[in-house]
Amino acid sequence: MVYTFYRLISSLIPFAATLNLWRRSWREPDYRIRITERFGFVPPHVKHGSFWIHAVSAGEVIAAEALVNQLLTNAESSQVLITTTTPSGSAEVTRRFGERVDHCYMPYDAKRCIRRFINLTRPRALILIETELWPNLLNITRQEGIDVCLLNARLSARSARRYHFVSSLTKRMLNCISMIVSQYEDTADRFRKLGFPSEHIHVTGNIKFDRSISEETQRSAELGRERWCGERPCWLAASTHPGEDEVVLEAHVRARETHPDLLLVLVPRHPHRTHDVEVLASTRSLTTARYSDVFQSVDVLVVDQMGVLLEMCGVADVAFIGGSLEGTGGHNPVEPAVFGVPMLMGPDRMNFEEVCARFVDSGCLTTVHDEDELASELLGLLNDPDLRKRQGDAARLVVYENRGAAERQFRIVSGWLHDAS
């Protein structure tokens, strides 16, 4: 009954979603580009018979990088098609893989759009990165005999309750999936309780711990430190959202009372918000410069480009992880940890519960709730180099001890792909 209702209203999805694209395009013009791909039309260069990987945005593309590179070197699976939903995800595919993979946007979850896309691409199998469950997509891939794997799956307790609320639809979707490769046991258990068979679930850890620092990134971070900081202390606010920028900037003002030369590197989650952040800073009498401009000595460096967050983590002495104070669910803390940077984060970390728990247990991720706590904890770390080093070393150790998921996942997936093809 629920699926029948969804199937009826899904015919309206392209109309509603296109209106939403145009709304977003006023701030992010890239949403106006290649709209026909969202209706299932694919570029002429996209080949038939690829292994199809869907990665919603930049974070999922980065998470899938190791798997994609391994697939590209495997003669049996060297043809890969990656779809994304966001322009930032699309840009990340181009940045990391270039012409080694085919790429286009994921079609809307309307029957005609999905069928058109599948008829034009004829994929051999579909890998969904993390948890992207769409009823029409899963139903049609099953009808077409396309095996589906949910990879690096994560499912929070809150999301699981929502899926329980529409249990008949959830069971129908899960019946279309042949294998789930879960990050952690809690997610695996939630999928079991939703009705997915235990024998088709594998627990491997989170591939985001396999993030490494290339020599190029290391060198860029060192040059950035010399260029922007010199001898100045520096802290990073990574992937901030509206409502968090104000908290970060207030904490920065307070911290500068003790450290007048303190530099803040502020990285909005969406670069189109750069101007808004600059206005917020100016109202607090803070000078700003943009990452893309000729450098000048300022109070706040605003990063207005995608793809440079990792190197900026290497510039900072302390990092605040955004998306954690205003209901987004938090962002990935592994990137600053790879550089051995102690971390501060709000209490909302639904997207990375298990990952954050490992850092909290090791004493290198501190919870803050407002600008008062953020300024206090920031000053505590800035004033104590030994504490920063202990927490930074602990963060690196957590990353090191949790590596290996990418290799484990590839072994599982390669066997599954062999059977699927």
Side-chain angles (χ1 to χ4, degrees):
M1 185 70 174
V2 177
Y3 176 66
T4 302
F5 177 71
Y6 179 84
R7 194 171 63 180
L8 289 172
I9 66 168
S10 65
S11 61
L12 301 175
I13 288 177
F15 175 74
T18 301
L19 287 179
N20 185 52
L21 287 183
W22 280 102
R23 179 187 64 81
R24 297 190 68 170
S25 72
W26 288 108
R27 299 298 300 270
E28 298 177 77
D30 284 348
Y31 273 102
R32 300 177 194 173
I33 300 172
R34 298 158 45 200
I35 288 180
T36 57
E37 294 178 15
R38 312 240 184 211
F39 290 86
F41 295 98
V42 301
H45 66 268
V46 173
K47 297 177 282 294
H48 280 206
S50 295
F51 288 108
W52 174 16
I53 297 175
H54 178 57
V56 178
S57 194
E60 290 77 20
V61 173
I62 294 168
E65 182 177 20
L67 173 67
V68 173
N69 284 331
Q70 288 172 313
L71 290 175
L72 291 173
T73 59
N74 186 317
E76 293 185 4
S77 58
S78 58
Q79 198 166 294
V80 175
L81 166 64
I82 303 178
T83 55
T84 63
T85 300
T86 67
S88 61
S90 177
E92 202 67 44
V93 172
T94 301
R95 183 180 299 115
R96 293 180 182 276
F97 307 112
E99 296 182 356
R100 294 187 296 147
V101 303
D102 288 339
H103 165 64
C104 59
Y105 282 126
M106 180 72 157
Y108 296 131
D109 194 50
K111 289 180 65 177
R112 287 187 179 181
C113 299
I114 297 293
R115 286 200 181 278
R116 181 181 294 121
F117 178 87
I118 288 176
N119 288 335
L120 291 172
T121 58
R122 306 310 309 173
R124 297 164 68 182
L126 169 60
I127 298 173
L128 300 171
I129 304 297
E130 298 195 359
T131 306
E132 272 292 289
L133 303 180
W134 292 98
N136 285 326
L137 169 67
L138 292 169
N139 190 56
I140 292 171
T141 50
R142 183 180 188 184
Q143 290 174 1
E144 295 294 326
I146 300 168
D147 284 342
V148 179
C149 169
L150 196 58
L151 185 68
N152 207 44
R154 60 180 173 88
L155 185 66
S156 68
R158 184 165 68 183
S159 295
R161 287 193 293 271
R162 292 172 180 167
Y163 282 118
H164 272 296
F165 184 72
V166 287
S167 58
S168 61
L169 179 61
T170 298
K171 289 178 181 178
R172 186 185 185 100
M173 291 191 294
L174 292 180
N175 285 338
C176 300
I177 297 172
S178 57
M179 183 173 69
I180 293 178
V181 182
S182 170
Q183 294 179 11
Y184 297 112
E185 185 59 38
D186 62 343
T187 284
D189 189 54
R190 287 169 190 144
F191 276 115
R192 292 187 193 103
K193 290 178 179 177
L194 288 170
F196 194 81
S198 182
E199 62 269 24
H200 297 304
I201 299 179
H202 303 268
V203 178
T204 62
N206 192 330
I207 55 179
K208 291 186 176 179
F209 277 114
D210 288 284
R211 191 74 191 272
S212 59
I213 305 171
S214 67
E215 291 184 9
E216 180 182 0
T217 300
Q218 180 69 52
R219 182 59 181 157
S220 294
E222 292 170 357
L223 291 173
R225 181 79 195 188
E226 294 173 7
R227 176 186 180 192
W228 293 304
C229 303
E231 298 301 317
R232 298 174 65 183
C234 172
W235 71 297
L236 169 74
S239 300
T240 59
H241 290 253
E244 290 182 322
D245 303 304
E246 295 89 336
V247 172
V248 167
L249 290 167
E250 285 294 334
H252 187 56
V253 169
R254 298 184 191 188
R256 281 172 58 84
E257 293 173 3
T258 304
H259 296 273
D261 58 344
L262 178 64
L263 172 66
L264 166 64
V265 177
L266 202 160
V267 188
R269 179 66 173 176
H270 302 105
H272 71 267
R273 294 184 48 251
T274 296
H275 176 69
D276 296 341
V277 171
E278 291 171 330
V279 171
L280 290 172
S282 68
T283 62
R284 292 161 174 82
S285 301
L286 295 169
T287 59
T288 62
R290 297 187 179 191
Y291 176 91
S292 59
D293 291 341
V294 176
F295 175 70
Q296 51 187 306
S297 181
V298 291
D299 305 323
V300 181
L301 176 67
V302 184
V303 177
D304 58 342
Q305 291 184 12
M306 296 292 295
V308 297
L309 177 58
L310 183 61
E311 71 178 64
M312 301 314 296
C313 290
V315 171
D317 297 304
V318 180
F320 167 75
I321 312 300
S324 57
L325 287 173
E326 43 58 74
T328 298
H331 292 298
N332 184 10
V334 172
E335 292 182 323
V338 169
F339 273 103
V341 178
M343 295 168 288
L344 309 172
M345 191 171 186
D348 183 10
R349 51 193 69 166
M350 177 185 70
N351 294 337
F352 293 92
E353 285 174 336
E354 286 285 347
V355 173
C356 291
R358 282 156 171 75
F359 291 117
V360 171
D361 291 345
S362 294
C364 53
L365 191 155
T366 303
T367 302
V368 296
H369 295 83
D370 52 35
E371 60 263 29
D372 293 331
E373 291 185 4
L374 180 56
S376 175
E377 296 294 342
L378 172 62
L379 282 171
L381 287 163
L382 292 175
N383 292 336
D384 192 338
D386 290 336
L387 177 62
R388 286 205 310 274
K389 185 177 187 308
R390 287 197 303 274
Q391 290 197 14
D393 290 344
R396 278 200 190 95
L397 183 60
V398 170
V399 174
Y400 176 79
E401 291 178 339
N402 285 273
R403 288 189 185 278
E407 180 60 33
R408 290 190 290 272
Q409 290 188 8
F410 178 70
R411 288 199 302 268
I412 294 168
V413 169
S414 59
W416 174 78
L417 288 175
H418 182 270
D419 295 337
S421 58

